[in-house]
Amino acid sequence: MRILRRAPLALVPALAALALAPVAPQAVADPTTPAPVTEPAPRAVTRLATDEGTGGAVTSVDPEATRIGLKVLESGGNAVDAAVATAAALGVTEPFSAGIGGGGYLMRLDGRTGKVLTIDGRESAPSRSPKRTMFLDPATGDPYPFYPDLVTSGLAVGTPGTVATWEEALERWGSRSMRTLLRPAAELARDGFEVDRTFAEQVEANADRFAQIGSTAALFLPDGQTPAVGSTFRNPGLAKTYDQIGRQGAKAFYRGRIARNIVRTVKAPPVLDGDLPVPPGHLREKDLKTYDVRVRKPLTLDYRGFEVHGMGSSSSGGSTVGQALAILERMPLSSWTDERVQHAVLEASALAFADRAAYVGDRDFVKVPDEALLDPEYADERLCAVSMAQATPKPLDAGDVRRYDGRCEPGAEREGTSVEAEDHENTETTHLVVTDRWGTVVSYTLTIEQTGGAGIVVPGRGFLLNNELTDFSLTWKRRDPNRVEPGKRPRSSMAPTIVTEKGKPLVALGSPGGSTIITTVLGLLVDFIDRGQTLEDAVAAPRATQRNTVWVDAEPAWLEAWGGDLEPFGHLLRETTLPGGEIGAATGIEFLRGKQVIAVAEPVRRGGGDARVVDRR
Ligand code: GLU
């Protein structure tokens, strides 16, 4: 298997300092309003970045969510049961990243058969979405400014897929009822949880737009203020919504009163006085009623003797990570110096992103050339466009998936379609991984897109609506695979991944981060498979991201560690402007011999996650 093991990386000091930086809760409406009373936390919350043992494991960004998932496993539930319970809890404690107002992608490996299947629970565009004019302001004919105008709108809300994903997963593979699995999250919402720094920071970052939507301000800005770190946050509306879905199943969400509330909110967002236009959207009850998840095989690539199972379209996660790996497999990375490997990863990633922009969209609308993208011959030909000695100026053109023979003919690379990649994807999402005593594994990424989604809480229901439709290209071009169309799913970057060796799980992982999800997952796989790092070290390691852009965006610690070595290659390096200077916040599980597993959560970024096993040994 893997040969080389490295000593754990020292904790990155710059990131650690960021995580400890105090957040000053600020008044958003009336600065003279007294701060809310800080109550004691309902239970002690500690975080564990790594845990090792047997009997199953859960890793997520949040200790309450991990605890709830672990309880399901301890009481005999399986990985799918625990994944649903964990995800529901994340909807309570991480409401700005994920929840029932959004969508996601769930991947499951069956512990008995080794078979991998995925559920595409991505949001879809309403059936009445106009194509060319979707994102134009009818008053001016000009595009809506992206942030905060378009982001905070009914227009950006796609038909949510999360509740349908849970129901599909439980019907196929669950051993517990939705009611049983949503109960702990409902209790958490009702009884409250301790506000941590990330929660407070995320409200603070959104305070201006939240303050302009009545239902959102009432929930997340009580008394006009950001909930204080250490105070208890309760969400009785969400508790009731979970109770109802628990009792009646997904139909409670997709039909009847909750569905009507969602549609009314999208059509007439509850706007207070303010400067945001908050344009209404096109969602209808029929869109909710007819929404369906897609259950499909993963996109599987053989990489250095392992099977890498990725998420197929409507996500670009599997094909873009897979294509970059297919390119990297042409090179003996494990015998190369670290800086040469870093250079190769940056170039392979840029090549894959060029093709992603040209070819990848929702496969129900676009023929996605997965086979070509993962073909070693195509990889050979794509390699002709870059050099392993020097960085090629970006952006790179896409290749030609219709005609390739693996040879470097002059001009071959110029025949492709070059589509300028628009990138509006936000970077807050959440990823969880669960395994159970039967060896079944679930790798699940879910989101509401922007931190805080559309910024619109469905009144009385306690959850934020997504703004996923901003993941479509905002200007309509005929040849763009990601142009908006009625019923279509916007192209995602979410990349839940499971790697197996002869059908047995080796590692399962994923990350938030919008389009940086792809480069984070790629980096994790290269670190783990080619560089022989432990998953724990790979998750903690500093990151950079090259998404076919002129600049390589990097974390400060990456620049410190690699900048000097990579500059001679001619890369244009700069510090990322992503929140906190952070790229990704991965979670994963490494499978050892026997039934032993190592569950890993992000140690520092976004305040760190929580990874736990059932039996610690
Ligand atoms: N909307 C993004 C996607 O589908 C995810 C957003 C995020 O990671 O924050 O890829």
Side-chain angles (χ1 to χ4, degrees):
M1 241 178 25
R2 277 158 304 111
I3 333 106
L4 184 72
R5 289 268 165 199
R6 274 157 214 256
L9 294 172
L11 253 189
V12 177
L15 292 177
L18 273 169
L20 296 174
V23 179
Q26 286 169 24
V28 290
D30 174 6
T32 59
T33 314
V37 181
T38 303
E39 300 167 35
R43 52 181 79 80
V45 177
T46 51
R47 288 166 196 268
L48 204 57
T50 305
D51 204 9
E52 180 169 347
T54 57
V58 180
T59 173
S60 83
V61 299
D62 180 73
E64 297 282 13
T66 296
R67 174 183 62 81
I68 283 173
L70 205 67
K71 267 211 160 140
V72 172
L73 294 180
E74 283 164 353
S75 63
N78 66 31
V80 168
D81 300 329
V84 170
T86 306
L90 288 167
V92 179
T93 55
E94 294 276 321
F96 313 114
S97 299
I100 55 176
Y105 298 91
L106 184 148
M107 178 179 289
R108 173 187 179 270
L109 172 138
D110 189 293
R112 203 169 45 83
T113 62
K115 195 170 155 192
V116 182
L117 273 180
T118 68
I119 301 180
D120 172 336
R122 181 70 160 171
E123 301 90 331
S124 57
S127 51
R128 290 228 172 123
S129 303
K131 292 183 182 176
R132 292 161 193 271
T133 56
M134 176 86 168
F135 301 115
L136 303 182
D137 181 349
T140 61
D142 293 332
Y144 284 106
F146 185 71
Y147 189 92
D149 300 37
L150 182 60
V151 158
T152 316
S153 73
L155 208 51
V157 179
T159 313
T162 290
V163 176
T165 304
W166 296 350
E167 184 157 271
E168 181 73 35
L170 292 177
E171 273 174 7
R172 281 176 176 265
W173 306 303
S175 72
R176 302 280 145 96
S177 67
M178 182 92 98
R179 187 176 194 160
T180 306
L181 297 169
L182 296 198
R183 195 174 296 132
E187 271 166 24
L188 185 61
R190 200 170 278 119
D191 298 346
F193 60 92
E194 185 185 322
V195 170
D196 66 7
R197 198 160 275 151
T198 308
F199 188 99
E201 269 174 359
Q202 292 182 337
V203 176
E204 194 55 38
N206 281 286
D208 282 349
R209 63 188 194 119
F210 283 4
Q212 296 188 40
I213 313 284
S215 49
T216 312
L219 182 59
F220 293 120
L221 294 167
D223 306 320
Q225 293 214 324
T226 299
V229 174
S231 65
T232 300
F233 186 87
R234 296 188 176 85
N235 189 342
L238 183 59
K240 271 199 266 163
T241 307
Y242 277 175
D243 288 346
Q244 205 171 328
I245 297 170
R247 276 195 308 273
Q248 297 164 16
K251 71 172 186 302
F253 185 89
Y254 290 97
R255 291 156 190 260
R257 280 174 56 197
I258 300 178
R260 281 199 292 281
N261 292 161
I262 293 172
V263 170
R264 194 180 319 127
T265 309
V266 170
K267 289 198 151 155
V271 188
L272 302 171
D273 282 345
D275 51 7
L276 277 176
V278 199
H282 304 281
L283 193 73
R284 296 187 301 157
E285 280 180 54
K286 188 173 163 231
D287 295 314
L288 285 153
K289 216 162 150 182
T290 55
Y291 178 85
D292 219 348
V293 296
R294 310 267 188 260
V295 180
R296 291 173 173 137
K297 288 189 181 147
L299 201 57
T300 300
L301 170 81
D302 284 325
Y303 182 68
R304 304 204 197 273
F306 304 118
E307 306 91 43
V308 178
H309 305 286
M311 190 66 222
S313 158
S314 57
S315 184
S316 62
S319 63
T320 310
V321 170
Q323 187 185 354
L325 288 177
I327 292 168
L328 290 168
E329 202 182 24
R330 320 312 295 152
M331 296 168 267
L333 298 190
S334 60
S335 65
W336 281 10
T337 60
D338 283 341
E339 55 270 25
R340 207 156 165 225
V341 172
Q342 294 278 1
H343 168 70
V345 170
L346 295 174
E347 296 301 277
S349 163
L351 287 168
F353 266 89
D355 284 351
R356 170 186 183 266
Y359 299 119
V360 186
D362 179 358
R363 74 167 91 174
D364 287 342
F365 290 76
V366 177
K367 191 171 167 3
V368 183
D370 287 329
E371 225 172 278
L373 296 175
L374 304 187
D375 187 339
E377 208 165 83
Y378 184 64
D380 277 335
E381 189 157 315
R382 290 299 277 140
L383 263 174
C384 304
V386 296
S387 142
M388 282 306 119
Q390 196 64 25
T392 307
K394 315 288 180 306
L396 304 169
D397 278 351
D400 185 350
V401 290
R402 287 154 309 169
R403 268 176 302 145
Y404 59 90
D405 57 12
R407 289 208 301 264
C408 293
E409 290 125 12
E413 284 305 314
R414 258 172 265 124
E415 288 167 19
T417 341
S418 175
V419 175
E420 200 187 323
E422 286 185 40
D423 190 351
H424 317 284
E425 284 177 41
N426 188 241
T427 56
E428 303 294 347
T429 286
T430 198
H431 185 76
L432 61 103
V433 185
V434 181
T435 185
D436 61 27
R437 67 181 80 169
W438 301 281
T440 291
V441 186
V442 173
S443 187
Y444 181 21
T445 316
L446 61 160
T447 190
I448 56 171
E449 168 41 24
Q450 201 82 24
T451 314
I456 307 170
V457 168
V458 179
R461 301 295 182 183
F463 64 90
L464 282 156
L465 291 167
N466 71 83
N467 65 317
E468 214 70 58
L469 304 187
T470 59
D471 276 1
F472 281 119
S473 303
L474 301 180
T475 33
W476 202 87
K477 292 190 205 103
R478 184 165 298 283
R479 298 183 70 185
D480 180 354
N482 193 34
R483 66 185 195 186
V484 67
E485 292 179 67
K488 189 174 179 179
R489 285 148 147 86
R491 176 175 61 215
S492 170
S493 302
M494 289 187 261
T497 304
I498 299 177
V499 182
T500 55
E501 186 180 18
K502 298 197 187 80
K504 295 262 172 277
L506 187 65
V507 69
L509 51 83
S511 176
S515 55
T516 71
I517 291 172
I518 291 169
T519 53
T520 296
V521 167
L522 174 64
L524 291 170
L525 294 174
V526 170
D527 283 352
F528 185 77
I529 296 173
D530 294 291
R531 298 180 66 218
Q533 282 192 348
T534 62
L535 181 63
E536 185 184 7
D537 292 347
V539 164
R543 301 197 177 103
T545 177
Q546 170 47 278
R547 291 160 287 160
N548 199 26
T549 48
V550 173
W551 292 88
V552 174
D553 291 307
E555 293 179 337
W558 188 93
L559 290 172
E560 214 171 285
W562 298 105
D565 290 332
L566 268 292
E567 243 158 33
F569 284 90
H571 292 283
L572 298 175
L573 310 175
R574 68 177 181 194
E575 198 173 309
T576 176
T577 53
L578 290 171
E582 297 173 356
I583 300 175
T587 48
I589 296 178
E590 182 176 349
F591 298 81
L592 306 177
R593 282 182 202 288
K595 300 216 156 152
Q596 196 83 3
V597 301
I598 304 178
V600 178
E602 164 59 45
V604 175
R605 296 173 182 95
R606 283 218 234 162
D610 193 45
R612 290 184 193 260
V613 296
V614 172
D615 293 317
R616 190 168 300 154
R617 339 210 150 107

